[in-house]
Amino acid sequence: MCNTLGAHYLSRKVFLFRNEPSEDYVVLKPQPKAPLQNFTVCLRSYTDLSRPHGLFSYATRSEDNEILIFKPKPGEYRIFVGGEYVFFKVPEDPLIWEHICVGWESATGTVEFWMNGKPWPRKGLKKGHMVPAEAFILLGQEQDHYGGSADSYNSFSGELADVYMWDFLLSPHKMRSAYQDFQLPSSALGWKNLQYEIKGDVIVKARLR
């Protein structure tokens, strides 16, 4: 199953990944127009998975984990930039929506991690690195190489919503706004004007809560 769609307003809707495990994913478009010296990625997820799974994957021809938001187990997130990662410990609350924002700044190599509107202690990663603009961006898998090839063991099963990516680091005020999905700055990749392509058995449904 492959659905190509134009820009769609997805407020109060979700991508439902119904199979477990699976090879299903959603390709996000467009790509950044220039290499990234800073970025912010936000998303909301709801799952009962206890095994590893990829949420957001930005692969380039030279590095499959150029940007990756990965959850190896309940209570931990790994944030990759340029193939290297830092991890953040989080509460293991059962069956709640988890909203996260990840921000990165090349000049200082600083990673910000926010969960449900609250900041975690910042960490350092890939100071001076430049994220290439040409990328294959997808939801629901960890890419093994550029173009979407993935291991189903690391696939996501559950619901994803409120996905955004900016080419700058959001202010603390806007990080909190992202949690509420309210008054956000414009972005080329945003939930309320999202260009995407579904590969496999993923459907768009109204959000239940």
Side-chain angles (χ1 to χ4, degrees):
M1 181 176 175
C2 176
N3 294 332
T4 303
L5 301 174
H8 277 243
Y9 183 80
L10 294 176
S11 182
R12 300 298 301 173
K13 294 184 179 180
V14 304
F15 286 131
L16 174 57
F17 294 75
R18 300 187 289 180
N19 298 324
E20 201 285 296
S22 78
E23 297 180 353
D24 309 328
Y25 58 89
V26 178
V27 181
L28 301 183
K29 304 175 180 181
Q31 300 176 7
K33 295 180 179 179
L36 301 175
Q37 299 184 56
N38 310 280
F39 68 78
T40 305
V41 175
C42 297
L43 59 84
R44 203 178 306 269
S45 66
Y46 187 50
T47 183
D48 60 0
L49 287 176
S50 58
R51 61 165 174 77
H53 53 278
L55 293 164
F56 178 96
S57 175
Y58 180 113
T60 64
R61 297 188 184 278
S62 59
E63 177 54 62
D64 52 346
N65 292 333
E66 186 60 48
I67 303 173
L68 174 65
I69 301 176
F70 186 75
K71 198 168 184 183
K73 58 185 178 181
E76 182 180 323
Y77 282 89
R78 291 182 184 176
I79 308 304
F80 288 76
V81 177
E84 300 178 11
Y85 75 89
V86 291
F87 67 89
F88 295 88
K89 297 290 187 181
V90 300
E92 294 184 36
D93 294 328
L95 288 180
I96 66 166
W97 278 94
E98 293 185 357
H99 180 270
I100 63 168
C101 284
V102 174
W104 175 77
E105 180 182 68
S106 175
T108 61
T110 300
V111 178
E112 292 189 17
F113 180 86
W114 292 66
M115 181 171 171
N116 295 340
K118 297 179 180 179
W120 261 236
R122 289 169 284 192
K123 297 188 177 183
L125 183 65
K126 298 294 283 187
K127 180 179 179 180
H129 180 66
M130 188 82 73
V131 174
E134 184 182 0
F136 198 81
I137 309 171
L138 59 80
L139 301 174
Q141 298 280 359
E142 176 199 7
Q143 296 182 74
D144 290 331
H145 59 75
Y146 179 92
S149 176
D151 180 354
S152 62
Y153 178 72
N154 291 324
S155 62
F156 176 77
S157 175
E159 303 182 23
L160 286 177
D162 299 339
V163 181
Y164 294 88
M165 183 176 186
W166 293 271
D167 59 0
F168 53 89
L169 187 63
L170 290 187
S171 68
H173 173 68
K174 290 303 180 183
M175 289 287 195
R176 296 184 182 94
S177 296
Y179 173 54
Q180 300 172 335
D181 196 26
F182 180 68
Q183 292 185 341
L184 294 174
S186 61
S187 61
L189 196 163
W191 197 243
K192 294 178 180 177
N193 191 34
L194 193 69
Q195 298 179 53
Y196 63 91
E197 182 179 356
I198 290 174
K199 296 295 185 81
D201 188 10
V202 181
I203 60 175
V204 177
K205 295 288 287 183
R207 186 170 160 185
L208 296 177
R209 51 180 296 187

